[in-house]
């Protein structure tokens, strides 16, 4: 029989929060070595094992005894609360082994079994205080000089780590927590949330949420862990919550589709559905205006989208003290691809030193600007004639520049699509490519939905796979669609995707899954076997 060292972290204390392997390891051991309180906590699992109980301060002799018995051929469980590798017995066992010249190949077998450490069990009772970069600091100066501990508290406080304080105070050691609070207050606000958890998942569990200023008014002892929030941590409904980051991104609110199904295709609200006249394009804005008026009559709030949502998000950002980053995509127009110098200037101006200006592959420039006042930025951009779009899973109409007059006949349809569906919230980003002639040089057939204007009618392509090494164009599903059919057909396709698409399901996958949209059957795309690479691989 060969001996084995089982170094076990049994979690905070309740059996429910112990791992299966920890339980098995206790059961399969011949000898259990641990501090008396710990042995009591796992009492229910014991089945005749020899118990070697020692006091708190005899850790070294405990470790030596464990190694000695394992070398005699016994299976020895060395138990720690939480995780054995966090201020537990695992390191000490290895220290003893190293001293004896132990190696894995020649020496006794060692298995370290992980457990839920106090930082995790206590955090779960407080809400979600850890979430972001965090550290543990033990305030016990038994084996670590206080100077070093104080320096670590100072560094962690300055770097805005969430801090879990282990061994915060004992009967004899009472000064450290007072000093620690002083150091923390140099770097963090007095109202910084602090959680104090005693005996997590044990009989005398106690959970207190307080502040850095008031933390010493509460009982803190040997069985307590203290969690200090970072600069963004807040208390909501008694729960201590640290957000995932320091920035909260928000965008223009996605506009809803304004018409109900029974309102569609009525001349007064959808003038683009009227038979195309041969009038010059100078007439077009009138029809457009009529549509705008009609839409406004139906929904007076049109034209001021997004205010409510933005406000709510800003309140949340203020609550968590996060920097609000306004994200918006900008272009010179739907069919216009040329920026003016004044437009470039205003972009630079609103972005300022702190904002980002990113060039995207989608006929847009992306702005990310730290601001609490998106309205003012929106106004300035719009005044300069720029078209603004929200960022995220919204529909975008990507039109070509309709390079001469004849091709411009189809512009109103692109505009109508943009007007009706642009910015609509969809399961996953959806691009409708719209090209004004059969050259399709802006790559409409490569988009999720492609529309190509040809001899007064439209060709339709569905389900392009726009990214990846196995990208492919959309399938040609209809040739020569009548102009008045176009907008309603696209609208029905998009609505079906909105209604039935799974969250994050790309349009080409949706098309494949449902097999048919608007009577257009999905046809299997011939595939060359290429695994899609993860970006960066
Ligand atoms: N190995 C253990 C830590 C041992 S040091 C772990 O990973 O959790 C002892 C300190 O751990 C205590 O002073 C206390 O700060 C913390 N601690 C351990 N168990 C705890 C529990 N159930 N509730 C609250 N704090 C606990």
């Amino acid at each position: 029989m060969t001996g084995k060292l089982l170094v076990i972290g049994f979690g905070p204390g309740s059996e429910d929060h112990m791992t299966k392997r920890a339980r098995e390891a206790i059961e399969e051991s011949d000898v259990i070595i641990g501090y008396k309180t710990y042995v009591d906590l796992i009492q229910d699992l014991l089945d005749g094992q020899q118990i070697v109980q020692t006091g708190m301060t005899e850790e070294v002799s405990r470790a030596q005894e464990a190694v000695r018995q394992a070398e005699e051929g016994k299976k020895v469980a060395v138990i720690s609360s939480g995780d054995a590798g966090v201020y537990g017995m695992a390191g000490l066992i290895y220290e003893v082994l190293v001293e004896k010249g132990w190696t894995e190949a020649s020496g006794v077998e060692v298995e370290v079994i992980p457990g839920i450490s106090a930082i995790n069990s206590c955090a779960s009772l407080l809400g979600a205080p850890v979430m972001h970069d965090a550290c543990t600091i033990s305030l016990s100066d038994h084996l670590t000089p206080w100077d070093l501990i104080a320096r670590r508290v100072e560094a962690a406080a300055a770097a805005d780590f969430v801090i879990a304080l282990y061994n915060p105070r004992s009967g004899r050691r009472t000064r450290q927590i007072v000093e620690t609070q002083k150091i923390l207050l140099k770097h963090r606000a007095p109202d910084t949330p602090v959680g104090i958890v005693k005996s997590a998942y044990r009989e005398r569990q106690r959970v207190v949420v307080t502040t850095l200023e008031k933390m010493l008014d509460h009982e803190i002892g040997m069985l307590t862990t203290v969690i200090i929030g970072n600069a963004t941590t807040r208390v909501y409904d008694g729960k201590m919550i640290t957000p995932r980051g320091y920035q909260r991104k928000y965008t223009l609110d996605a506009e809803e589709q304004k018409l109900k199904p029974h309102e569609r295709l009525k001349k007064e609200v959808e003038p683009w559905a009227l038979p195309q006249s041969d009038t010059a394009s100078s007439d077009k804005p009138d029809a457009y205006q009529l549509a705008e008026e009609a839409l406004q009559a139906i929904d007076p709030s049109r034209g001021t989208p997004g205010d409510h949502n933005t406000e709510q998000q800003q309140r949340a950002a203020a609550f968590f003290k996060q920097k609000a980053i306004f994200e918006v995509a900008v272009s010179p127009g739907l069919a216009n691809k040329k920026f003016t110098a004044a437009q470039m200037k205003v972009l630079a101006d609103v972005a300022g030193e702190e904002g980002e200006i990113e060039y995207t592959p989608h006929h847009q420039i992306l702005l990310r600007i730290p601001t609490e006042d998106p309205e003012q930025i929106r106004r300035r951009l719009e005044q300069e004639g720029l078209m603004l779009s929200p960022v995220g899973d919204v529909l975008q109409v990507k039109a070509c520049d309709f390079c001469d007059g004849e091709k411009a006949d189809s512009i109103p349809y692109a505009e109508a699509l943009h007007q009706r569906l642009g910015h609509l919230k969809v399961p996953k980003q959806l691009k409708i490519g719209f090209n004004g002639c059969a050259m399709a040089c802006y790559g409409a057939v490569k988009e999720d939905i492609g529309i190509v204007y040809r001899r007064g009618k439209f060709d339709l392509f569905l389900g392009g796979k726009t990214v990846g090494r196995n990208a492919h164009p959309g399938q040609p599903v209809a040739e020569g669609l009548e102009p008045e059919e176009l907008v309603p057909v696209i609208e029905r396709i998009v609505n079906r995707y909105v209604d039935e698409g799974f969250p994050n399901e790309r349009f080409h996958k949706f098309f494949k899954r449902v097999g048919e949209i608007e009577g257009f059957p999905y046809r299997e795309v011939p595939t060359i076997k290429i695994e899609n690479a993860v970006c960066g691989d």
Side-chain angles (χ1 to χ4, degrees), residues 12 81-83 86 117-118 122 166-167 197 199-200 202 222-225:
S81 74
D83 183 271
V86 180
S117 188
C122 296
Y166 283 57
N167 301 305
V197 181
S199 297
R202 296 186 196 171
M222 294 258 285
L223 293 172
T224 310
T225 297

Side-chain angles (χ1 to χ4, degrees), residues 248-255 305 310 324-331 339 346-347 350-351 355-360 362-371 373-382 386-392 394 396 423 429:
R248 178 173 291 245
K249 292 187 176 146
Y250 65 104
T251 184
L252 296 170
D253 194 24
E255 278 183 63
T310 302
I325 309 275
F326 178 49
E327 280 189 306
V328 68
V330 174
S331 73
F339 284 92
V346 82
L347 288 180
V350 296
E356 268 179 24
I357 305 180
E358 184 183 325
Y359 169 64
T360 79
H362 300 298
H363 306 181
Q364 290 177 325
I365 280 180
L366 211 63
L367 296 177
R368 282 189 206 92
I369 305 171
T371 179
D373 187 6
E375 262 320 299
Q376 180 237 348
I377 288 178
R378 189 200 346 234
R379 261 197 313 276
R380 288 194 59 196
L381 295 169
E382 283 178 346
L386 289 162
M387 188 174 100
L388 272 56
S389 312
V391 173
V394 291
Q396 184 198 348
H423 313 173
Q429 283 189 0

Side-chain angles (χ1 to χ4, degrees), residues 475 512 521-527:
Q475 307 181 4
K512 181 172 182 174
Y522 174 84
R523 275 168 287 136
E524 231 16 90
V525 181
T527 50

Side-chain angles (χ1 to χ4, degrees), residues 323-468:
K323 206 176 216 179
I325 309 275
F326 178 49
E327 280 189 306
V328 68
V330 174
S331 73
L334 193 62
N336 181 12
K337 300 286 174 268
K338 291 175 180 133
F339 284 92
T340 64
Q343 286 173 338
M344 294 309 274
K345 273 188 195 148
V346 82
L347 288 180
D349 216 29
V350 296
E353 290 298 320
E354 297 216 348
E356 268 179 24
I357 305 180
E358 184 183 325
Y359 169 64
T360 79
H362 300 298
H363 306 181
Q364 290 177 325
I365 280 180
L366 211 63
L367 296 177
R368 282 189 206 92
I369 305 171
T371 179
E372 304 286 344
D373 187 6
E375 262 320 299
Q376 180 237 348
I377 288 178
R378 189 200 346 234
R379 261 197 313 276
R380 288 194 59 196
L381 295 169
E382 283 178 346
Q383 264 164 16
E384 216 45 73
L386 289 162
M387 188 174 100
L388 272 56
S389 312
V391 173
D393 288 327
V394 291
L395 185 148
Q396 184 198 348
V397 177
K398 284 174 74 174
C400 70
D401 64 355
F402 301 90
C403 51
D404 67 40
E406 179 210 334
K407 291 163 193 164
D409 282 350
S410 58
I411 287 185
Y413 296 93
E415 284 177 336
L417 281 172
H418 171 68
Q419 197 65 27
R420 292 302 310 275
L421 300 170
H423 313 173
L424 184 72
K425 265 206 181 315
V426 283
K428 186 79 190 169
Q429 283 189 0
L430 182 81
K431 314 276 184 216
I432 299 183
F434 193 114
N435 287 183
C437 79
M439 295 285 286
C441 63
Y442 272 77
V445 305
K446 291 185 281 188
E447 303 293 347
D448 302 292
I449 296 175
I451 298 163
V452 177
Y453 185 65
R454 190 166 56 89
R455 296 205 193 106
K457 295 185 178 181
F458 292 99
D459 296 341
L460 180 60
F461 301 79
L462 291 184
K465 182 175 186 302
T466 58
V467 294

Side-chain angles (χ1 to χ4, degrees), residues 226-263:
V226 178
I227 299 188
I228 317 285
N230 72 18
T232 64
T233 306
R234 287 295 170 268
V235 177
Y236 182 86
D237 199 21
K239 298 285 171 219
M240 201 172 150
I241 305 164
T242 301
R244 290 168 302 161
Y246 289 78
Q247 300 179 337
R248 178 173 291 245
K249 292 187 176 146
Y250 65 104
T251 184
L252 296 170
D253 194 24
E255 278 183 63
E256 302 282 322
Q257 242 182 311
K258 301 299 176 190
L259 296 188
K260 307 274 178 303
H262 69 274
E263 293 162 338

Side-chain angles (χ1 to χ4, degrees), residues 35 37-38 41 56 81 118 122 167-170 196-200 202 204 206 219-226:
Y35 173 50
T37 315
Y38 296 168
L41 280 167
M56 190 63 154
S81 74
C122 296
N167 301 305
R169 176 153 67 188
S170 70
I196 301 175
V197 181
K198 183 188 167 196
S199 297
R202 296 186 196 171
R204 276 183 275 278
R206 221 170 130 239
E219 186 198 329
I220 296 176
M222 294 258 285
L223 293 172
T224 310
T225 297
V226 178

